[in-house]
Amino acid sequence: MQQKKKILYIITKSVWGGAQKYVYDLAVNLPKDKFDVIVAGGQAEGPKKGIMELELGRNKVVFYKIKSFQRDVNILKEFIAGFEILFILFKTKPNIVHVSSSKAGGVAGVASLLYKLLTFRKLKTIFTIHGWAFLESRPKWQIVLIKLFSWITCLFYDKIITVSEYGRQIGIENKIVSLRKAIPIHNGINIGNLNYIDKEESRAELVERFQYFKNPSLQAGAKPKLESKTEIWIGTTGELTKNKGHQYFIDAVKKLKDKGIEFKTIIIGAGEEKEERLKQIKNNKLENDVFLAGFIFNASKYLKALDIFVFPSIKEGFPYTILEAGLAELPIISTITGGIPEQIENDKDGILVESANSEKLAEAIERLINNKNLREKYAKKFNQKVLEKFSLDKQIEETIKIYS
């Protein structure tokens, strides 16, 4: 009987996001007769605190906290985190270390190398790149340093997984990773595990949520004017960060409102840009048109409340949210960034527009609001594509080949 392999997954933060979902899906769904799984990650903060650890625990996956991991750069904390990881390596004795997120990549890479040197044990090391940090809008000197750090980080690993072919090509073109080492594996979703609430019920629940908590962009005591049955609803899910491009989405909504087009906008997510977005909503007098729902765990179950899904992101890898919206049979408008063109083919199963361009985004939204047949066509075609091409089973099958 073949001995089971022990895998240690490492991630910087255990908040619930795309990278965390990636780790969770692999950790919980790998064949239990072939793999023993352990997860280690930094402590979570904010409304999503503890969700990943809790969900892993429910599935009997051991979770180790790396107390010194944090998002901001702190050399001392990262030095201590390296020793925390080294301790976990000695305690768990894994056959494979699989790391996600940039900061974890560097620190865990060094710790894994030390572990191999100190124990003479074989240890396969894998690093998943969800998106290259040097593609963000930054000063030139920062981009140079990030590229150097990324190149050094990749040296510690036997294989680099990119979640898109685009990510792989960017890594090769910038001489950060070799052709031999980089392997693209698309994210997939657990098709049988997504339970959507139907349109009428999900709208009713969201309306009740807004009435109970009050839309924070409204004046104190005001009631949101949100009709749950007849209006067109458009919306998105995602963290309120600059990279998600919500500022351009709200600008696009303002342009359409100025033209007298009636619809409501729902944004599900929390994050550091919340106050800025609230200010933007108020300054544009959109308090009764744009609703911030805050963080909702398993927000995908409410997607059928929408008529159109809009994804305005500036920087992405291969977003799960688009796949979830496709499985919910929604027509999708997205920006062209990262691996998204490997998901959606423009004017075939969705609409793609350039990022950071509220004018183009508004034009695409208006086009779909005014054309129900086109909405239905895109929704049906992309739903079929998700079912055929982007399953979690396929992702796991391709990942296991790298573990072998």
Side-chain angles (χ1 to χ4, degrees):
M1 183 177 176
Q2 190 176 8
Q3 189 175 8
K4 290 199 285 187
K5 291 183 178 179
K6 187 179 288 187
I7 301 180
L8 172 63
Y9 290 102
I10 301 176
I11 192 162
T12 307
K13 285 288 186 182
S14 56
V15 296
W16 195 256
Q20 289 74 22
K21 178 174 172 54
Y22 174 89
V23 170
Y24 172 84
D25 280 348
L26 290 175
V28 169
N29 293 288
L30 283 176
K32 291 177 173 52
D33 60 330
K34 295 180 180 179
F35 299 97
D36 283 327
V37 175
I38 304 151
V39 178
Q43 299 182 92
E45 298 171 356
K48 298 181 273 186
K49 183 177 181 179
I51 291 175
M52 183 182 185
E53 183 179 352
L54 178 64
E55 291 300 309
L56 287 169
R58 284 177 178 168
N59 287 277
K60 297 182 171 55
V61 176
V62 176
F63 180 83
Y64 286 91
K65 289 181 181 177
I66 304 172
K67 296 179 181 179
S68 299
F69 255 160
Q70 59 183 39
R71 183 173 290 179
D72 297 330
V73 176
N74 185 314
I75 300 300
L76 178 60
K77 289 277 188 181
E78 284 155 28
F79 183 78
I80 296 169
F83 278 99
E84 288 184 71
I85 293 170
L86 193 60
F87 173 79
I88 294 169
L89 287 167
F90 273 103
K91 187 171 183 177
T92 60
K93 298 178 175 59
N95 307 105
I96 300 165
V97 169
H98 188 164
V99 183
S100 289
S101 71
S102 300
K103 177 170 284 192
V107 178
V110 173
S112 297
L113 177 61
L114 283 173
Y115 175 75
K116 286 190 283 187
L117 292 173
L118 291 170
T119 62
F120 300 101
R121 290 175 64 93
K122 287 185 178 180
L123 181 66
K124 193 164 195 174
T125 52
I126 297 159
F127 181 35
T128 294
I129 305 288
H130 296 275
W132 297 104
F134 58 79
L135 295 178
E136 296 175 10
S137 179
R138 296 172 180 268
K140 190 173 181 179
W141 67 269
Q142 288 186 13
I143 290 173
V144 171
L145 282 179
I146 291 169
K147 282 184 178 182
L148 177 61
F149 174 78
S150 300
W151 175 74
I152 292 170
T153 297
C154 289
L155 292 176
F156 291 111
Y157 293 90
D158 299 310
K159 294 292 180 183
I160 306 295
I161 295 175
T162 60
V163 295
S164 66
E165 178 59 30
Y166 168 83
R168 178 174 178 265
Q169 292 301 325
I170 288 292
I172 292 167
E173 288 169 13
N174 285 275
K175 297 181 170 52
I176 291 167
V177 62
S178 68
L179 184 67
R180 176 192 61 82
K181 187 181 280 192
I183 300 169
I185 300 177
H186 287 148
N187 293 337
I189 56 174
N190 194 338
I191 292 166
N193 202 38
L194 283 174
N195 298 310
Y196 297 104
I197 305 172
D198 68 33
K199 186 170 189 172
E200 186 174 343
E201 185 181 350
S202 57
R203 283 195 173 193
E205 287 194 21
L206 286 171
V207 168
E208 185 178 349
R209 178 183 177 88
F210 286 123
Q211 288 175 340
Y212 182 77
F213 292 105
K214 294 188 176 62
N215 183 14
S217 56
L218 292 172
Q219 297 295 326
K223 291 184 177 180
K225 296 176 182 178
L226 193 62
E227 169 59 52
S228 65
K229 293 182 180 179
T230 59
E231 292 171 319
I232 292 282
W233 283 22
I234 71 172
T236 192
T237 63
E239 282 191 286
L240 298 180
T241 62
K242 286 183 179 179
N243 281 339
K244 295 299 179 183
H246 294 111
Q247 63 271 39
Y248 301 104
F249 186 18
I250 295 171
D251 281 345
V253 171
K254 171 63 174 171
K255 291 178 191 298
L256 296 173
K257 288 296 174 180
D258 288 345
K259 294 175 71 173
I261 299 172
E262 287 301 316
F263 61 95
K264 298 299 182 186
T265 302
I266 313 296
I267 299 174
I268 300 176
E272 63 203 35
E273 287 278 297
K274 176 185 172 182
E275 294 305 318
E276 284 298 315
R277 300 290 70 80
L278 288 174
K279 189 186 298 181
Q280 184 183 11
I281 291 166
K282 186 176 181 180
N283 290 344
N284 286 289
K285 296 181 172 57
L286 295 171
E287 293 95 336
N288 283 306
D289 297 296
V290 179
F291 297 85
L292 302 185
F295 172 72
I296 301 175
F297 182 57
N298 281 341
S300 59
K301 67 183 179 180
Y302 292 106
L303 283 172
K304 284 184 178 287
L306 304 176
D307 297 289
I308 300 167
F309 185 82
V310 181
F311 198 72
S313 200
I314 298 168
K315 175 183 176 288
E316 280 297 329
F318 197 85
Y320 286 104
T321 305
I322 284 181
L323 302 180
E324 291 166 349
L327 200 61
E329 297 181 271
L330 296 180
I332 298 169
I333 299 166
S334 177
T335 48
I336 303 169
T337 183
I340 291 173
E342 295 169 42
Q343 297 175 310
I344 295 172
E345 188 176 354
N346 188 38
D347 282 337
K348 293 291 179 67
D349 47 31
I351 298 178
L352 297 178
V353 300
E354 63 183 68
S355 61
N357 189 324
S358 58
E359 189 70 45
K360 294 293 185 184
L361 201 56
E363 289 173 7
I365 294 168
E366 183 176 5
R367 183 180 168 200
L368 285 191
I369 285 176
N370 292 333
N371 193 330
K372 185 179 180 181
N373 289 337
L374 191 60
R375 295 202 303 264
E376 291 175 349
K377 172 190 169 184
Y378 288 158
K380 184 177 180 180
K381 284 198 168 187
F382 190 61
N383 176 262
Q384 289 173 342
K385 181 188 280 188
V386 172
L387 291 171
E388 291 168 6
K389 293 186 65 175
F390 301 123
S391 71
L392 178 61
D393 288 342
K394 185 176 180 181
Q395 179 194 343
I396 288 175
E397 182 183 342
E398 293 179 8
T399 305
I400 287 174
K401 290 176 185 176
I402 297 176
Y403 292 162
S404 301

